[in-house]
Each structure stands twice: as structure tokens, then as C-alpha cells.
Amino acid sequence: MSQTCRPAVFLDRDGTLIEDIGYVRQPSEVVFFPETFEALRRLQEHFVLFVVTNQPGISQQILRAEEVESVNRFVTGTLREAGIVITQVYVCPHQRQEGCECIKPRPFYLQQAAKEYSIDLRRSFCIGDHPHDIELARNAGAEGVYVLTGHGQQHREEVPAGTPIVRHIGQAAEWILRRIGWKEFLPTEEEIARAADCLRRGGLVAFPTETVYGLGADALNERAVRRIFEVKRRPSFDPLIVHVGTIEQARRLVRDFPREAESLAERFWPGPLTLVLPKEAIVPDVVTAGLPTAAIRMPAHPAALALLRRAEVPVAAPSANLFGYVSPTCAEHVREQLGDSVDFLLDGGPCSVGVESTILSLAVRPPLLLRYGGISAEQIEEVIGPVQRVGFTEHTPQAPGRLEHHYAPRTPLFLAPELIHPPKGRRVGLLTFRPAADAGDFAAAEVLSESGNLEEAARNLYAAMRRLDRCGLEEIIAVAVPNEGIGRTINDRLCRASWNKPKDIF
Ligand code: TXA
Ligand code: MG
């Protein structure tokens, strides 16, 4: 797969992930900082994780390399059980004053990671509690974040000016995630050009949108579109959304672009609204699953718009995941599931909306809301007046591909109107909107929004489901969110993902 290089976070071990007690010789001496797990879970959504640990005791012959090995194995094993993957652990056995090659002139291990795992060091970070960790970052062209746990307090004065200094790894993760906010995470012109070229030649390009990542192909190229269905293992009766870069392009794909479409496009495009309209003959039947209508949307993510405008072809794209599974909201999610079957993956950082677009059919009267999404029914009604809503389980020719079981993690998920206690003796995970007072009986818990903000909850929903899915749980209990605005969409997705389908929550 030709793809943009991935960024990484290089983590110091002692004083950063676990308490620094001097020479750690055996697993029983390991104490993780309480913030470590959550911080790494969030970071791994966007970064490949490595540990780089300095163990000068080895060269001083106070500590055996085997002892360090066994502690490292315990640390990575424990993290793996919590769903966190450390790709590689590097050990520098030298004393810092020796000025070893592990740090300078070129940080040996970081260069090696860059080569072996195609890491983009300039978009990478190091987190550590020693000024050397910051030096390591600088020599690699990466950024260092200094934590005050462990040795942090002692060497604070030696930290180069301008280095972010934070209390612990949780805050370091927060700082980094804020630093890479999706606006700063845009692909380069050259990457956009390569992706556009790939589309024009009939290739498959995974690209970011503000809702979820899409798996795109030239919508007018039947062969290319067929490959989308193969790669996703998507049934051919489920039609695709066609993405456009301009309203002009949208108009060329449909027989008529009515007044309502004009008003809605003016208000919500580019953005998370898809309009279904009678199609022109140039839109192939594979795209629309044989329907006489086409679903069209202009996405708002700047990288998606740049790609569409550069490619100058309409792009058919479903979400870039295997059929039925949770939609991807960052490039890493796409890589996990579709990896090599994609010709080009354009990394545009995390999605800002986090749930799919709202789908509205203007091919029937009155307009019919086919899928709840990033724009609420109320917002649409403000512009064009009353719309009908399709029932949760309704299957009509106007509403194909609305499967009752969809957007689902592999772990059985049950949706409850409010917090319930997990069955005794089972490993159960919890997915809640706001922090729960008694989440202690759950083996893992995800809070969608600490501050109770529904937009934030939507943004976190799919990544949280994926994290829980990696925890080896027997089941997940999800608690419904307030049924208003985008909360309605979150409940719709939770209900579809659930095994019990409590439709009365709506
Ligand atoms: O936010 C989104 O809409 C994302 C991003 C990538 O743009 N795309 C997405 O696509 O969610 P997908 O494939 O997961 O959903 C497409 C759904 C179909 O399952 C079907 O319900 C509806 O769009 N659809 C497509 N064409 C239609 C048509 N002609 N009439 C009615 N519904 C249609
Ligand atoms: Mg340390």
C-alpha cells in the first residue's frame, strides 16, 4: 500500500509509564501510573507506540539485561491485556554522560523505527521525565513533552526553553492530541495530488471526511466501484454515496436539482448532509444498487474537498471499514481493517463529527429522512419545513441498506436506558455518556464526554467502541444518551450496534 508515513509516540519507561524506583529488576516491582492506560489508549488512535528506555545499570553491570527484558515483557504484556499495543521496546544500556549513539548525533533507535515501521519522525513525539528524552526528540526532528513524574522535578531547570512541561503522562497525551488538532494534521499538496491521481486511474483511496473515513473510487468507473464492494465485503444491494467537490458537479449527476436541494446545499454544504435525488444515466447502476436515485454529498473536511476538486471526478465512497463493523474515525482505524487492500490512504487526522451524514430523500414527497446523522431533523426542518421520518426497521425501496444490525463491535453490546449493574462474574465493559458514579464493577469503562457535551460524545463514539472491543470483554453495556440533537443519532447507532434493540429508547 502506498501511504503517508505514520507518526509515533516514543515513551520513556521509568518515571513516565511506571514509577521510577531506581533499578527495576522484576515484574513484581512494577507500579503503573494511574494515568498510563487511558493516555496510551487515546494516543494509539493516532500514533504507533514505542518504548525507549535508558537502563545505564546494564553497562555499569549493576543490572542484568535479562532482568530488564523480563520487566519490559511484563509492561508490554499488561498493556496488551488492556488493549494497548507497544510495537517495539528499545533499550539503551549506556550511561548518559558517555554521549552514546542511541541519542546523538542521530538517535539510533528512532531512525531504526522510522525505517522498519515507516514512521514520520517529524510528526512524532517523545514523552519522558529526563531532559535526555527531550534531546532525543529534538535530534530526531520530533517534539518532546516533559513529565514531572519520576526524575522530572529534579532536572526541571535543564529542560530546553519552549518544551511543554506537564504533570503526568495523561496531561502529556492531552497536550499532544490538542497539538495535532485536525487542522494541523492536513496532508500535503503532494499527497493530495497523488491520491487524486490514484482515483483518476481507477484506484481505491481511503480519505478523511468530517463524519468518518471513506473508501473512495471514481463514481463513473464501474470497475473501480466494484472493487469497493469486494474490499468491504459489502452486499451489492447496498447503494453508495457519491461525494462531490462543487455544487456544479452535483447538478450534473441528477436529473433535477430542486429548490429544496438548493436551499439545503446552501445551508449545509459542505457538511454532513446527503441528498437523494433522481439520477442521470451517467451514474452507473453499481453505485446506486440499481435504484433510479443517487445519494450525493459534499463533505466539509478540507482534505476531502481538496481531493475531490483536484481529482475532478465524483467519488463513490462508503465508510472505510468491513461491512457491518464500526465506522473508522481516524486513519489508524482504516489501516487496522483494510490495510493493504487500499491503494492510497490519506491521513487527515481524527474526524470532527464522528458519526455518518444525515440522509434525506428529496425524490419523494414530503421529503423523507432516511438516516439520522451529523445534521438533526430539526435543523433540516428549519430550512425546508416538515419532513417524514423512516421507522427504525423499515425496509422500503426508498430506504435500502438500512440494516438493523450495523455499526457494531464484535463484542456483544447491550443498550440500556440507564446504568445497570453488570452480571456477577463476567468481564463486562461500560460505555456511558457522562462519568458514572459506580463503574467499579466493570472490567473497562469508556466515558463519551466528561463534560456532558453531545457533539463531543459523537466524536468519541466509534473510537470508544473499538477500544472496548479490544479489551477481551464478554459483553458491553451501553447507556443511552439524551435523545436530542445529535444524541438521537448516537442512540440510533447504539441501538443498531446492540443485540437487544430497545427501540423504545427513541
Ligand atoms: O458520512 C457519510 O455519509 C459517510 C462518509 C464516507 O461520507 N458515508 C457513509 O456511507 O456512511 P455508507 O456506505 O456507510 O452509507 C450509505 C447509505 C446506504 O447504506 C443507504 O442506506 C444510503 O446511503 N443510500 C445510498 N444511496 C441511496 C439511494 N439512492 N437511496 C436511498 N438511500 C441511499
Ligand atoms: Mg524516566
Side-chain angles (χ1 to χ4, degrees):
M1 175 176 51
S2 152
Q3 62 169 39
T4 52
C5 272
R6 299 182 282 172
V9 174
F10 297 89
L11 303 147
D12 168 43
R13 195 190 76 184
D14 304 356
T16 302
L17 298 179
I18 64 174
E19 282 188 25
D20 191 346
I21 53 158
Y23 301 114
V24 190
R25 293 176 194 280
Q26 51 195 26
S28 62
E29 298 175 301
V30 170
V31 179
F32 282 94
F33 288 115
E35 297 83 4
T36 296
F37 292 85
E38 184 58 13
L40 297 189
R41 269 193 211 112
R42 298 206 179 280
L43 285 172
Q44 80 171 3
E45 304 290 341
H46 310 282
F47 298 94
V48 187
L49 302 181
F50 296 92
V51 170
V52 183
T53 176
N54 176 226
Q55 298 293 337
I58 298 178
S59 64
Q60 291 171 287
Q61 302 192 332
I62 306 171
L63 191 63
R64 286 184 301 123
E66 292 79 357
E67 293 175 315
V68 172
E69 273 304 304
S70 81
V71 171
N72 288 345
R73 264 202 309 277
F74 176 76
V75 168
T76 53
T78 309
L79 291 173
R80 183 172 281 277
E81 269 173 37
I84 297 157
V85 179
I86 301 293
T87 298
Q88 178 82 257
V89 181
Y90 299 108
V91 181
C92 160
H94 307 113
Q95 288 178 265
R96 291 305 197 196
Q97 53 275 31
E98 287 169 21
C100 64
E101 279 204 0
C102 303
I103 292 197
K104 59 183 171 192
R106 299 204 312 149
F108 180 73
Y109 292 128
L110 272 57
Q111 302 285 341
Q112 194 171 325
K115 243 196 320 224
E116 277 184 39
Y117 300 98
S118 19
I119 300 302
D120 181 353
L121 292 178
R122 283 160 319 157
R123 287 196 291 144
S124 297
F125 295 83
C126 299
I127 307 176
D129 68 332
H130 196 285
H132 281 116
D133 298 310
I134 309 304
E135 203 188 347
L136 182 71
R138 298 222 164 165
N139 293 337
E143 282 191 68
V145 182
Y146 191 71
V147 287
L148 292 173
T149 34
H151 278 274
Q153 295 289 0
Q154 260 168 277
H155 298 279
R156 193 176 181 156
E157 301 312 317
E158 299 157 45
V159 179
T163 306
I165 300 178
V166 294
R167 281 212 310 279
H168 50 66
I169 188 171
Q171 287 189 346
E174 226 177 273
W175 187 90
I176 290 172
L177 292 174
R178 222 174 311 121
R179 180 92 176 81
I180 61 157
W182 64 304
K183 283 209 180 63
E184 291 178 56
F185 213 97
L186 292 185
T188 61
E189 281 284 310
E190 200 239 321
E191 284 163 349
I192 299 274
R194 277 167 59 203
D197 200 49
C198 183
L199 281 173
R200 273 197 304 263
R201 290 161 192 248
L204 288 192
V205 173
F207 64 99
T209 84
E210 73 282 21
T211 59
V212 300
Y213 273 68
L215 177 62
D218 176 354
L220 307 183
N221 177 337
E222 278 194 49
R223 255 201 21 209
V225 173
R226 252 190 219 107
R227 257 189 77 208
I228 295 180
F229 286 89
E230 282 160 24
V231 164
K232 266 198 71 131
R233 293 183 223 144
R234 180 182 178 110
S236 59
F237 59 75
D238 194 2
L240 304 179
I241 294 173
V242 182
H243 298 71
V244 295
T246 62
I247 295 199
E248 280 316 305
Q249 201 175 34
R251 288 201 189 94
R252 284 200 294 274
L253 299 172
V254 296
R255 288 219 309 277
D256 178 37
F257 202 73
R259 205 166 36 80
E260 284 107 325
E262 293 287 351
S263 322
L264 289 168
E266 188 179 315
R267 173 77 177 76
F268 298 116
W269 279 5
L273 175 67
T274 297
L275 298 176
V276 174
L277 291 160
K279 78 175 186 79
E280 272 293 359
I282 51 161
V283 182
D285 284 341
V286 263
V287 173
T288 65
L291 291 172
T293 52
I296 300 176
R297 137 169 145 87
M298 189 194 298
H301 193 295
L305 273 181
L307 174 68
L308 288 160
R309 288 173 186 170
R310 179 97 187 206
E312 293 183 314
V313 292
V315 172
S319 51
N321 52 278
L322 291 177
F323 185 70
Y325 195 69
V326 182
S327 297
T329 49
C330 67
E332 197 49 43
H333 295 163
V334 180
R335 228 174 258 122
E336 261 166 38
Q337 282 212 324
L338 302 181
D340 290 340
S341 39
V342 174
D343 298 313
F344 197 96
L345 169 55
L346 198 60
D347 190 340
C351 300
S352 59
V353 176
V355 289
E356 299 80 356
S357 63
T358 301
I359 304 180
L360 180 77
S361 175
L362 293 175
V364 291
R365 304 259 110 214
L368 181 61
L369 189 80
L370 295 174
R371 178 173 78 182
Y372 290 95
I375 305 274
S376 71
E378 293 76 17
Q379 283 174 292
I380 290 172
E381 288 179 330
E382 267 172 39
V383 179
I384 58 164
V387 299
Q388 317 172 60
R389 293 149 169 80
V390 78
F392 185 85
T393 50
E394 214 166 301
H395 294 286
T396 68
Q398 287 84 35
R402 298 175 62 264
L403 298 178
E404 215 177 305
H405 198 73
H406 212 81
Y407 313 107
R410 306 209 195 292
T411 314
L413 182 145
F414 296 89
L415 179 56
E418 52 207 35
L419 184 64
I420 51 173
H421 285 285
K424 281 242 152 35
R426 280 171 74 78
R427 270 181 70 77
V428 182
L430 173 67
L431 184 66
T432 59
F433 176 42
R434 310 206 52 171
D438 50 355
D441 297 340
F442 290 92
E446 285 286 342
V447 175
L448 293 177
S449 172
E450 291 285 342
S451 62
N453 176 304
L454 285 168
E455 270 75 29
E456 184 185 22
R459 203 153 46 233
N460 289 331
L461 178 67
Y462 290 144
M465 280 193 194
R466 279 174 191 254
R467 284 194 290 269
L468 287 173
D469 217 9
R470 279 196 297 260
C471 289
L473 300 164
E474 287 167 271
E475 65 185 78
I476 298 168
I477 292 176
V479 185
V481 309
N483 207 29
E484 60 200 37
I486 204 166
R488 185 89 181 56
T489 306
I490 298 175
N491 285 336
D492 172 84
R493 302 303 191 266
L494 286 174
C495 194
R496 282 178 209 281
S498 74
W499 286 32
N500 56 327
K501 316 238 178 279
K503 284 150 211 150
D504 53 347
I505 60 159
F506 296 111

